[in-house]
Amino acid sequence: MSGIVVGQGKWTVGGTRWFDLRDSVTGAVRRVFLWIPPGPEPEAGWPALWLMDGNAVIGTAVDTMRAQAFWPSGTNLGWGVLIAVGYPSDDAYDSFRRSWDLGPPPGRSYPPFYEGGPEVKTGGGGEMARFLLEDVREFLAGHVRLDPQHQSLFGHSFGGLFALWMLFNHAGAFRNVIAASPAITWEDSALLDHLEAFAAPENQPRVHLSAGEWEGFDLAPFQRHGDEVKARLAEKASTRTIAAAQEMASELTARGLDVAYETYAGETHMSVLPVAVNRALGWAFAIDRSHFDLWPASAQTPPIPQTLEKDI
């Protein structure tokens, strides 16, 4: 049985619709944003890009499509359906719920975000995966016909962690996986256990990894003063966002996948989001992929700078 719609409406951007869909197993309600391109449906159905943290990214994704796909000779971007999964909220994020939904199992428990609040838990990625692959897909079948061979998944930060976990555990579900600033080292790099068990399918997914320039071992210029400098540097040494993403690129390349990695100049962990969404659309809907630069198997990741080691 598919999820039950408990609300719906039109958003303000380009005819985007949203549906509050009840999980057929847990009863949890998530908001699914849907944008369908103008023009005739392709014979095989529409290619689609699924985006996590839907509230935060759907506006950027729709505007990018509307501004670029109508001029494919100038942008190399073809039309495709956008499916963004978030929550019934006007806020960009629901930090409490995404911690559970996007956290790969087994997960852990953490103190409340605020005094008197509920305990924060991770590890519900399996529930989210089932919701996407069963409830949402069954529901969408009544609204749009999708090409099952051309489905892509995008996630940023925790969403990027989830996207990689989906790659390792549901490898045939998405042709393209785009993980921006993925939290690979989260919970003692437990994701790597899933990588170790990963067996690439015959129709190997293509993977795009990325991070912002200031997610490396150096601070952004505006962060280099104040009382938080040492704490920020210590956090960078722990999360290793750029290095971990590059290491992942090498690991997946060694397994025979087509992998690309990019560092976006001048961007931090949060400012990188619009840039990453734009690139996700290109990776998912590019008309000509022959120009994409893939990660070389011989690439080496940089060591932690000695100056940083001294600072922390």
Side-chain angles (χ1 to χ4, degrees), residues 63-109:
D63 277 344
T64 300
M65 285 291 290
R66 294 195 303 156
Q68 295 187 32
F70 81 98
W71 189 31
S73 64
T75 64
N76 194 37
L77 189 67
W79 292 109
V81 165
L82 301 174
I83 303 156
V85 180
Y87 303 101
S89 171
D90 291 332
D91 295 331
Y93 296 98
D94 185 326
S95 297
F96 178 79
R97 294 195 61 187
R98 78 188 289 267
S99 295
W100 172 254
D101 279 346
L102 302 182
R108 299 179 184 177
S109 297

Side-chain angles (χ1 to χ4, degrees), residues 132-291:
L132 297 179
L133 301 181
E134 297 180 12
D135 288 354
V136 180
R137 283 188 171 177
E138 185 175 344
F139 168 74
L140 290 175
H143 294 268
V144 62
R145 192 163 63 93
L146 302 178
D147 181 349
Q149 302 303 315
H150 291 87
Q151 304 291 297
S152 303
L153 177 65
F154 166 79
H156 165 258
S157 190
F158 240 42
L161 173 65
F162 175 78
L164 291 173
W165 179 84
M166 284 290 290
L167 168 67
F168 301 148
N169 291 274
H170 300 275
F174 296 98
R175 183 68 176 94
N176 299 294
V177 174
I178 305 104
S181 306
I184 293 171
T185 59
W186 175 252
E187 293 182 341
D188 299 324
S189 300
L191 179 69
L192 300 185
D193 294 334
H194 298 276
L195 168 64
E196 191 66 27
F198 171 59
E202 183 176 342
N203 186 22
Q204 294 181 340
R206 297 177 294 230
V207 181
H208 188 282
L209 295 156
S210 64
E213 176 184 2
W214 303 122
E215 296 188 85
F217 296 122
D218 199 6
L219 296 173
F222 64 87
Q223 296 176 323
R224 295 172 184 171
H225 308 282
D227 297 335
E228 297 182 349
V229 169
K230 287 188 176 181
R232 288 184 185 276
L233 288 171
E235 182 181 7
K236 284 177 172 290
S238 175
T239 57
R240 303 175 60 253
T241 304
I242 289 179
Q246 292 176 336
E247 290 164 3
M248 181 63 70
S250 293
E251 290 285 347
L252 295 177
T253 297
R255 285 167 168 77
L257 276 65
D258 285 346
V259 183
Y261 170 81
E262 292 184 74
T263 299
Y264 301 126
E267 305 296 345
T268 67
H269 185 70
M270 293 308 297
S271 72
V272 79
L273 191 55
V275 184
V277 170
N278 180 65
R279 187 65 84 249
L281 289 165
W283 192 252
F285 302 129
I287 298 170
D288 178 5
R289 304 183 64 89
S290 63
H291 68 287

